[in-house]
Amino acid sequence: MSETILEIRGLTKKYGELTALNQLNLEVKSGTIYGILGPNGSGKTTTLGIVLGILNASSGSFSWFGNGELDENRKRIGALLETPNFFPYLSAVRNLEIVCKIKGLENTEVAIEEAIKKVRLWNRKDSKFKTFSLGMKQRLAIASALMGDPDVLVLDEPTNGLDPQGIREIRDLIREIANSGKTVIIASHQLDEIEKVCTDVIIIKNGVTLKESKIDEIMEGNLEVVIGTEEFDKAKTIASSMNGINNVREKEGKLYLEIDENTNAKTINEHFHKNGIVLSHLGNYKKSLEEQFLELTEEGGEQA
């Protein structure tokens, strides 16, 4: 059984009358890339701030590695909540040496070399930080978080503001870090990032959990059959009353039918044919993470 890296139970954070987190529960297992997904202002950064000891919760609890909220847990955690304030006129190597001194690490020459190579900055190791692109700065920040060889890497919006190439570089780097045996926790509002990188996800809005699942399960579920016909209104009425169809939605002149496991495109086609409806379009359709996210956040009400 996989080790529980982080467990949160009933975590609540209030700022006066504003509730930033409301009874949040989640569990991160070792070896996963766990995504905390939500719109801006949904409570993602607040959650990370609490579990990293930067903020105090109003109520609830969390535990790292089964050891509660002990400060010693932080030695096993590398975190990047925002781009660190590296010294602009110092090289990548020199900046990481300073990071190691701040963390109280010794004999770090080899570790620094390994980290810089891992984030693909070895050819710029002696360049001044101010000459780096935004993507390179973010990669150096991840190298900084890796100092001390933590078991867990916590990243808040790691691709924010990056161009497509920079996003791909960070995405590939996160996968490599996870493949090396580390657990990665990512907070992001970028759906593409979560869908392509994470193994597990929790979707939150206004500090409330809307859904928690493995990415594979989300993508495998919500199978729909999409149909098109000139007799649209009649088809909608028939679909709404058919056994095996759980939900009917309209989009761009077509009907999207959410079906159960005993229903498929063939049975739907036969049913409409018996009812005198000729289908001009019939096919299977899977909702993307983006569509599911938008549906969940819309159902969750307006953002505070």
Side-chain angles (χ1 to χ4, degrees):
M1 183 178 294
S2 298
E3 176 191 4
T4 296
I5 297 297
L6 172 63
E7 184 176 21
I8 292 177
R9 290 289 172 259
L11 203 62
T12 299
K13 177 64 175 177
K14 295 184 176 181
Y15 296 96
E17 296 183 355
L18 174 65
T19 301
L21 286 179
N22 189 359
Q23 294 291 316
L24 183 69
N25 299 307
L26 64 80
E27 186 174 7
V28 179
K29 292 290 189 178
S30 63
T32 59
I33 306 178
Y34 190 98
I36 304 175
L37 177 64
N40 289 327
S42 61
K44 305 184 299 295
T45 300
T46 299
T47 301
L48 297 186
I50 291 173
V51 299
L52 292 173
I54 298 169
L55 299 173
N56 292 320
S58 300
S59 62
S61 64
F62 66 89
S63 175
W64 285 103
F65 316 107
N67 295 326
E69 303 177 13
L70 299 176
D71 287 344
E72 65 187 49
N73 293 327
R74 297 178 197 170
K75 296 178 182 178
R76 300 175 63 183
I77 304 167
L80 174 59
L81 295 189
E82 57 183 27
T83 303
N85 292 320
F86 289 116
F87 292 96
Y89 292 97
L90 296 183
S91 68
V93 170
R94 187 70 186 104
N95 269 297
L96 290 186
E97 288 174 349
I98 293 172
V99 168
C100 290
K101 286 185 179 180
I102 293 172
K103 291 185 175 183
L105 304 175
E106 298 178 353
N107 302 319
T108 55
E109 184 176 343
V110 173
I112 289 174
E113 178 178 339
E114 289 178 351
I116 292 179
K117 287 181 177 178
K118 183 181 290 287
V119 300
R120 301 181 185 87
L121 288 174
W122 186 247
N123 64 328
R124 296 294 299 276
K125 64 184 174 64
D126 297 319
S127 299
K128 295 178 180 179
F129 178 73
K130 70 171 187 173
T131 66
F132 284 6
S133 67
L134 183 58
M136 293 168 65
K137 289 177 179 178
Q138 197 72 340
R139 277 149 52 203
L140 185 63
I142 291 175
S144 170
L146 290 172
M147 291 296 94
D149 193 25
D151 296 315
V152 184
L153 193 63
V154 180
L155 306 173
D156 188 16
E157 303 285 3
T159 61
N160 209 21
L162 300 185
D163 60 20
Q165 180 179 346
I167 291 173
R168 185 177 64 182
E169 289 171 348
I170 296 297
R171 185 184 295 147
D172 291 344
L173 178 57
I174 289 170
R175 289 196 192 101
E176 288 179 17
I177 291 170
N179 289 337
S180 72
K182 299 185 188 301
T183 301
V184 183
I185 300 173
I186 304 172
S188 179
H189 68 280
Q190 297 186 13
L191 296 149
D192 196 48
E193 175 185 326
I194 295 296
E195 183 174 344
K196 291 183 177 178
V197 175
C198 294
T199 59
D200 301 74
V201 65
I202 184 171
I203 300 174
I204 64 175
K205 184 177 182 184
N206 296 334
V208 177
T209 300
L210 302 182
K211 187 167 188 173
E212 184 181 20
S213 177
K214 290 191 171 297
I215 287 287
D216 289 345
E217 292 174 0
I218 289 180
M219 302 313 296
E220 288 174 1
N222 292 288
L223 178 64
E224 295 179 316
V225 170
V226 56
I227 65 172
T229 178
E230 293 182 0
E231 301 177 82
F232 189 86
D233 292 336
K234 184 178 178 181
K236 183 178 179 182
T237 301
I238 292 172
S240 299
S241 61
M242 179 181 172
N243 292 331
I245 295 179
N246 301 322
N247 185 53
V248 180
R249 65 187 180 99
E250 301 176 32
K251 182 181 178 183
E252 298 176 350
K254 289 185 173 59
L255 291 176
Y256 289 75
L257 315 178
E258 186 178 309
I259 60 176
D260 63 24
E261 58 184 11
N262 297 317
T263 307
N264 55 41
K266 180 180 178 182
T267 58
I268 288 173
N269 188 40
E270 291 174 348
H271 183 76
F272 277 99
H273 181 71
K274 288 179 182 178
N275 285 272
I277 299 290
V278 177
L279 300 180
S280 59
H281 179 85
L282 175 66
N284 291 324
Y285 181 81
K286 283 188 179 181
K287 292 182 187 177
S288 66
L289 179 60
E290 179 178 12
E291 287 176 301
Q292 296 180 59
F293 173 79
L294 292 174
E295 287 179 9
L296 286 168
T297 53
E298 286 170 3
E299 290 169 4
E302 292 301 316
Q303 184 177 334

